[in-house]
Amino acid sequence: QMNNTIQYTVDKDGIATLMIDLPGKSMNVLCDEMISDLSACIEKVAADETIRGAIIASGKKTAFVAGADLTELVTAYDRGVTVQEGYEWSKGLSSVFRRMETCGKPFAVAINGLALGGGLELCLACHYRVMADHPKAQLGLPEVSIGLLPGAGGTRRLPRLIGTEKALGVILQGKKLRPQAALELGVVHEIAPVDEL
C-alpha cells in the first residue's frame, strides 16, 4: 500500500515496513505530507492486531531523513503564519512521534545514511536504532547553525538517552556523529554492514 511519501508493507511475520521515499526529491524531508502519511501509517500499525511491530526505513540510497523542509519554515512569515499556527505545526510533529513511541507496538529504525534534525528526532522516538556502517552515514541536530533548536523531542530524548552533558555537545554545537561514535555514545543500539541493515 502506498501513501504518496511512504510505502507500507507487512511481511508474513506481522512486521510492517514503512519505507519513506518522497517522490521527485533526492532527499527525504519532513514535509507536511510526509508527516501526515507517517501519522496514518502509525495508526494502521497500532490498530491492526496481526501486526507485531514496525520498521522505518528510507528508499533513498545514502540518506534516511535530512530534517524539516526548510522551505516550509522560511516562507512561513511571508505566508502569514500566526504564532498559534506555528505552535500547532510544531506540536503536530511532536505528537506524531509521541504517538509512535507510546502506541504499544515496537518501532525499529534502519538508518541507512544521513539522519539530521527532525530525521534524527524521528529515530530517537523509535524503540530500537540500527545504523549502517557507511562513510556517508551521520547523525546530528544541526538546527543550531541556523539559529534554531530541535523542536520535536530531541532536546528531551537525547539527554535522557546519553546524559545531559554529552547531549549538549550534539544539540548546542550541531556536532555530527559517524556510526562508531553514535554507537559508543549510545545514540544507536547497533551498527551493521550496509547490505545487512
Side-chain angles (χ1 to χ4, degrees):
Q1 210 170 351
M2 184 73 178
N3 294 309
N4 245 352
T5 63
I6 299 175
Q7 193 179 338
Y8 180 94
T9 54
V10 182
D11 70 13
K12 62 181 187 335
D13 298 320
I15 304 298
T17 298
L18 283 56
M19 183 71 74
I20 304 169
D21 198 353
L22 269 65
K25 286 199 186 271
S26 59
M27 282 276 186
N28 288 325
V29 287
L30 289 168
C31 58
D32 290 346
E33 187 184 11
M34 186 272 210
I35 294 161
S36 154
D37 287 350
L38 178 63
S39 179
C41 288
I42 292 165
E43 292 311 324
K44 222 184 288 188
V45 168
D48 188 337
E49 284 177 15
T50 64
I51 293 177
R52 296 166 52 211
I55 298 166
I56 298 182
S58 163
K60 305 295 181 202
K61 232 181 167 48
T62 55
F64 177 67
V65 176
D69 187 350
L70 292 180
T71 55
E72 282 179 5
L73 280 178
V74 296
T75 59
Y77 181 79
D78 297 328
R79 290 196 319 256
V81 172
T82 65
V83 170
Q84 189 59 34
E85 286 167 337
Y87 171 74
E88 292 299 333
W89 181 85
S90 182
K91 199 176 95 186
L93 182 55
S94 279
S95 306
V96 172
F97 290 173
R98 187 70 184 135
R99 173 66 178 140
M100 180 176 73
E101 194 174 42
T102 59
C103 78
K105 303 267 176 89
F107 275 78
V109 61
I111 309 163
N112 64 324
L114 224 50
L116 301 175
L120 175 55
E121 290 180 294
L122 168 57
C123 298
L124 292 172
C126 290
H127 304 98
Y128 200 79
R129 290 168 290 283
V130 181
M131 188 175 184
D133 194 7
H134 187 282
K136 280 208 168 104
Q138 287 184 70
L139 300 182
L141 297 167
E143 290 90 333
V144 70
S145 65
I146 53 167
L148 299 172
L149 283 173
T155 57
R156 296 281 183 281
R157 289 190 182 97
L158 193 62
R160 215 163 42 220
L161 197 61
I162 65 172
T164 305
E165 199 177 324
K166 289 173 182 162
L168 283 175
V170 179
I171 296 167
L172 298 179
Q173 296 164 13
K175 259 187 208 162
K176 293 191 181 81
L177 305 171
R178 300 216 174 269
Q180 194 56 46
L183 181 68
E184 282 164 15
L185 266 183
V187 181
V188 296
H189 296 87
E190 281 187 73
I191 55 177
V194 179
D195 55 352
E196 290 173 29
L197 188 61

